[in-house]
Amino acid sequence: MRKQIAAANWKMNCTYQQAEKLLDEVLQSEVNLSYGSEVIFAVPFPYLIMANSEVADEPNFSVAAQNCHQKKSGAFTGEVSAEMLKSISIKYCIIGHSERREYFFETNKMLADKINTCLENEINPIFCCGEPLNIREAGKQNNHVETQLIESLSHLSPQQMENIVIAYEPIWAIGTGKTATTEQAQEMHAFIRSVLRKKYSSELAEVITILYGGSVKATNANELFACADVDGGLVGGASLNAKEFIEIMKALK
Ligand code: PGA
């Protein structure tokens, strides 16, 4: 059984006080998570230490950064390195979210470097991929996603690859309230697994956790997570509401 994950991507939301409250509410829910599943809070940088200490005694809960710089250190004002994240015991880092690709011009090559710096620092990347609407309308989504996977991940050894979580997030479904249908999600997840099978092996393709992201809510999490190749979700908007997010956690297989 692959690891099932509900990851909350808070993006640039919440004051410190709101963040503490939201974390407390979710942690106090005492949802009975199935064996091997994990809940991850991708919180803004200033809250990482606080969030990590909140989850310290909770074996199924972890914290993620939302980004890191590709270089080890240096004159990059305002940036945060993977080594810094490691030094405060952060377990995961989102890499290549479509908002970073679009607003901060992150390229597949740059993301390959970010993946490397995470792995060197024992941080598990949550690698995001997914197509914009015009590519989906042209029916070219598989090519698009395959290129993202190949250009950012295919240099990794099978051992390194085992530390990656993939998040498929069709851009047209992010923050739009428009969710991919279960058929669209399952089809793309199965395709991603086929790319991994071709490049690596069937064994590896079977163990990689692939999350779906894009308007996951309490009302659609059950049917999305029930898809054979969907191993949970990367949740934006709905993760800012404790009640909603708790329902999504309950939907994990
Ligand atoms: P959304 O965001 O759930 O608000 O669509 C998902 C994401 O961007 O990770």
Side-chain angles (χ1 to χ4, degrees):
M1 175 86 172
R2 287 184 290 272
K3 179 179 272 190
Q4 306 290 304
I5 294 177
N9 178 11
W10 289 2
K11 309 190 180 186
M12 197 176 74
N13 291 297
C14 294
T15 61
Y16 186 83
Q17 291 72 19
Q18 289 165 336
E20 277 190 312
K21 184 161 173 280
L22 182 50
L23 274 176
D24 282 344
E25 282 173 3
V26 175
L27 291 171
Q28 278 162 17
S29 67
E30 290 179 3
V31 173
N32 234 336
L33 291 164
S34 35
Y35 179 75
S37 54
E38 194 167 355
V39 175
I40 302 174
F41 299 102
V43 305
F45 286 132
Y47 313 155
L48 286 171
I49 293 179
M50 176 276 286
N52 229 12
S53 78
E54 290 266 341
V55 304
D57 299 326
E58 309 275 353
N60 300 92
F61 290 80
S62 307
V63 172
Q66 298 174 9
N67 174 40
C68 71
H69 195 269
Q70 61 272 32
K71 290 271 167 55
K72 195 171 153 51
S73 62
F76 300 102
T77 302
E79 291 293 320
V80 169
S81 71
E83 191 177 43
M84 292 173 189
L85 299 177
K86 181 188 182 186
S87 73
I88 54 166
S89 307
I90 297 302
K91 187 168 169 194
Y92 290 95
C93 183
I94 297 178
I95 296 292
H97 190 279
S98 61
E99 287 149 18
R100 304 267 346 150
R101 293 173 186 261
E102 183 179 352
Y103 306 132
F104 303 94
F105 313 108
E106 296 191 354
T107 62
N108 291 340
K109 165 74 184 80
M110 197 188 284
L111 298 176
D113 293 339
K114 291 191 182 212
I115 295 278
N116 291 343
T117 179
C118 281
L119 293 175
E120 279 159 21
N121 287 287
E122 289 148 37
I123 291 165
N124 300 88
I126 301 172
F127 177 75
C128 300
C129 56
E131 78 287 353
L133 187 60
N134 62 327
I135 298 280
R136 166 69 60 172
E137 284 174 348
K140 299 211 165 82
Q141 64 274 14
N142 287 8
N143 285 349
H144 185 87
V145 169
E146 182 165 13
T147 303
Q148 290 178 322
L149 296 170
I150 297 294
E151 293 188 1
S152 299
L153 300 179
S154 69
H155 62 288
L156 300 177
S157 69
Q159 290 73 18
Q160 287 176 313
M161 195 61 209
E162 281 177 20
N163 297 309
I164 308 279
V165 172
I166 294 176
Y168 168 59
E169 300 204 304
I171 298 171
W172 45 271
I174 296 179
T176 56
K178 210 168 151 186
T179 321
T181 62
T182 48
E183 290 74 22
Q184 287 170 323
Q186 169 55 28
E187 196 176 54
M188 180 57 85
H189 283 231
F191 174 73
I192 292 171
R193 245 180 255 292
S194 78
V195 173
L196 298 174
R197 201 173 296 127
K198 212 163 48 180
K199 168 70 196 155
Y200 294 96
S201 63
S202 307
E203 291 72 25
L204 190 111
E206 279 312 306
V207 297
I208 301 285
T209 295
I210 308 180
L211 309 180
Y212 168 79
S215 300
V216 174
K217 307 184 264 281
T219 48
N220 60 23
N222 270 307
E223 57 170 349
L224 283 164
F225 297 176
C227 297
D229 287 296
V230 176
D231 307 315
L234 178 56
V235 188
S239 74
L240 296 170
N241 178 310
K243 261 185 140 159
E244 274 272 324
F245 190 63
I246 289 163
E247 290 308 309
I248 293 168
M249 285 159 52
K250 289 184 189 162
L252 287 175
K253 283 192 209 89

